[in-house]
Amino acid sequence: SRPILDMSYSRHFLDFQGSSIPSSMKKLVVTKLSQNFREAVTLQQDSPVPLPGDGDLLVRNRFVGINASDINYSAGRYDASVKPPFDIGFEGVGEVVALGLSASADYTVGQAVAYVKAGSFAEYTVVPARQAVPLPSVKPEFLTLMVSGATAYLSLKELGDLSEGKKVLVTAAAGGTGQFAVQLAKKAKCHVIGTCSSDEKGGFLKSIGCDRTINYKTENVESVLRKDYPEGVDVVYESVGGKMFDSALNALAIKGRLIVIGFIAGYQNPTGLQPIKADLLPVKLLKKSASIRGFFLNHYLSDYKVALQHLLKMYERGDLVCEVDFGDMSPEGKFTGLESVFRAVDYMYMGKNIGKIVVELPHSVSSKL
């Protein structure tokens, strides 16, 4: 029989090895709506550590993920009714350090978990037990699957209609979610083309199976696609927007499908958008019987857990590369501590990352976790 730490009625903090949980913590809070992340977000030093309710876990975060949409969230673009101040950060991996009585039916203190929930940019986050994902250990690679991997898997499964021999174009292919779109399309025996911004990224893409890489800094994407793929591409996994969207649209084959999972090129603009040549859109789609589909992970949550379990098994079997970028090559070095989230967001928008950007949250030496 294992001891149950009942946090639903008690305000007494203990972790499973007897080291105390502090009463205050650091966290990031949106204090002003702005697409400029540094203007919008404030690091609060002395926020109270939240108490888990009956069905909740208190998770000590060890790794948190950076997403392009962090900027959309801090700009207030997802829910106009939410006013500052509000917590930010979408995903985390850590250990359960306290839990409510009902939650203790399925979880125990010390257990490694991952989650997707607003408020991960904090030292501690309360997570409903039903939203947590139990893990074999606390590893940053698991974090790459929570939003980025699941987005690639579900969008291609539900909207991609992938089959052997299809030509698939992945934009921002060396990024957090692009890396999974490349690998999953290859596993479906497709021919995969990936756009990227450096030869180093191109090398990474080839290492995970990309058949043709296009460095858009040195090659014209539209010209390459027209020359090398005169019949067009069957599926596009598009996350860039602006000119890249236009090029991808023009490259669609007959009955081609373009899946929009983001448009990062415009997120830092006041409107969140970059212009596209939309006036010709009806004609282009009609002439090719082509289609454009949007994908937003929140609309597929009923399929999320099954997808994630599938991805976790793939990773544990060695069938999936989960590339993590801690910012070791950034000017100020590795992203460590909540203070470095600001740098990590900048790094993403400079297009420097290979794989998923992850920030490590170190813990004091007094902690035995």
Side-chain angles (χ1 to χ4, degrees):
S1 65
R2 56 181 173 77
I4 293 175
L5 181 54
D6 175 9
M7 291 302 300
S8 52
Y9 311 107
S10 166
R11 290 183 175 269
H12 182 58
F13 276 81
L14 285 176
D15 76 20
F16 80 116
Q17 293 201 358
S19 62
S20 61
I21 298 169
S23 57
S24 64
M25 66 173 187
K26 294 179 185 176
K27 72 173 180 176
L28 295 186
V29 178
V30 176
T31 49
K32 170 190 172 186
L33 296 183
S34 171
Q35 76 279 0
N36 182 325
F37 191 82
R38 288 179 180 270
E39 281 184 13
V41 179
T42 303
L43 175 62
Q44 294 189 349
Q45 299 281 352
D46 294 307
S47 295
V49 172
L51 285 168
D54 182 56
D56 297 333
L57 312 174
L58 180 64
V59 178
R60 179 185 287 161
N61 294 314
R62 291 280 294 275
F63 300 102
V64 294
I66 305 296
N67 292 283
S69 45
D70 289 328
I71 277 186
N72 284 339
Y73 199 63
S74 67
R77 291 176 183 146
Y78 287 151
D79 186 351
S81 67
V82 178
K83 304 300 180 193
F86 55 86
D87 297 346
I88 191 168
F90 292 132
E91 56 187 340
V93 166
E95 301 101 344
V96 176
V97 291
L99 69 168
L101 188 59
S102 296
S104 66
D106 298 306
Y107 288 91
T108 182
V109 171
Q111 191 164 353
V113 294
Y115 64 89
V116 175
K117 177 182 178 287
S120 70
F121 291 165
E123 292 178 318
Y124 296 85
T125 302
V126 167
V127 180
R130 58 187 165 73
Q131 290 181 21
V133 178
L135 298 175
S137 61
V138 175
K139 287 175 69 174
E141 285 79 9
F142 292 125
L143 191 57
T144 67
L145 302 174
M146 298 301 294
V147 171
S148 300
T151 295
Y153 178 83
L154 284 169
S155 63
L156 290 174
K157 179 173 179 285
E158 298 295 325
L159 309 178
D161 192 24
L162 301 184
S163 59
E164 185 170 356
K166 292 278 178 73
K167 292 183 279 293
V168 178
L169 170 65
V170 180
T171 64
T177 188
Q179 64 171 326
F180 295 111
V182 168
Q183 294 178 79
L184 293 167
K186 282 304 294 180
K187 292 196 180 303
K189 299 184 177 176
C190 298
H191 177 93
V192 182
I193 310 127
T195 71
C196 61
S197 60
S198 71
D199 292 340
E200 186 188 5
K201 292 185 179 188
F204 166 68
L205 289 174
K206 285 173 181 165
S207 77
I208 59 172
C210 202
D211 297 288
R212 173 68 160 97
T213 61
I214 306 174
N215 180 346
Y216 64 81
K217 293 283 181 74
T218 58
E219 298 177 274
N220 182 290
V221 173
E222 198 155 343
S223 299
V224 170
L225 292 171
R226 202 181 302 118
K227 175 175 171 288
D228 291 0
Y229 304 94
E231 301 295 309
V233 296
D234 301 295
V235 179
V236 181
Y237 184 86
E238 216 296 274
S239 62
V240 177
K243 291 178 182 175
M244 187 66 79
F245 174 90
D246 290 330
S247 297
L249 178 67
N250 292 337
L252 281 178
I254 302 296
K255 298 183 182 176
R257 292 174 299 286
L258 192 156
I259 304 169
V260 176
I261 64 112
F263 32 94
I264 187 174
Y267 289 174
Q268 289 181 301
N269 296 345
T271 61
L273 298 167
Q274 203 177 48
I276 59 168
K277 295 174 182 170
D279 50 341
L280 295 174
L281 194 57
V283 173
K284 288 179 179 179
L285 295 178
L286 179 66
K287 281 171 68 175
K288 294 180 177 179
S289 293
S291 62
I292 298 175
R293 297 287 298 272
F295 179 89
F296 187 47
L297 185 60
N298 287 14
H299 298 146
Y300 290 83
L301 293 181
S302 59
D303 304 308
Y304 177 77
K305 281 230 168 173
V306 172
L308 193 60
Q309 293 305 328
H310 181 75
L311 290 167
L312 286 166
K313 284 176 186 165
M314 286 181 72
Y315 171 67
E316 287 170 349
R317 285 198 309 262
D319 290 342
L320 203 59
V321 173
C322 297
E323 189 70 16
V324 173
D325 192 333
F326 278 119
D328 294 293
M329 308 317 298
S330 65
E332 294 173 59
K334 184 177 178 178
F335 302 133
T336 305
L338 288 171
E339 301 84 354
S340 67
V341 167
F342 299 96
R343 284 200 299 120
V345 170
D346 290 344
Y347 183 73
M348 168 174 283
Y349 278 90
M350 287 188 287
K352 299 294 187 185
N353 58 299
I354 296 180
K356 174 85 177 182
I357 300 176
V358 174
V359 174
E360 182 173 6
L361 305 186
H363 295 296
S364 63
V365 290
S366 65
S367 169
K368 300 185 182 107
L369 276 177

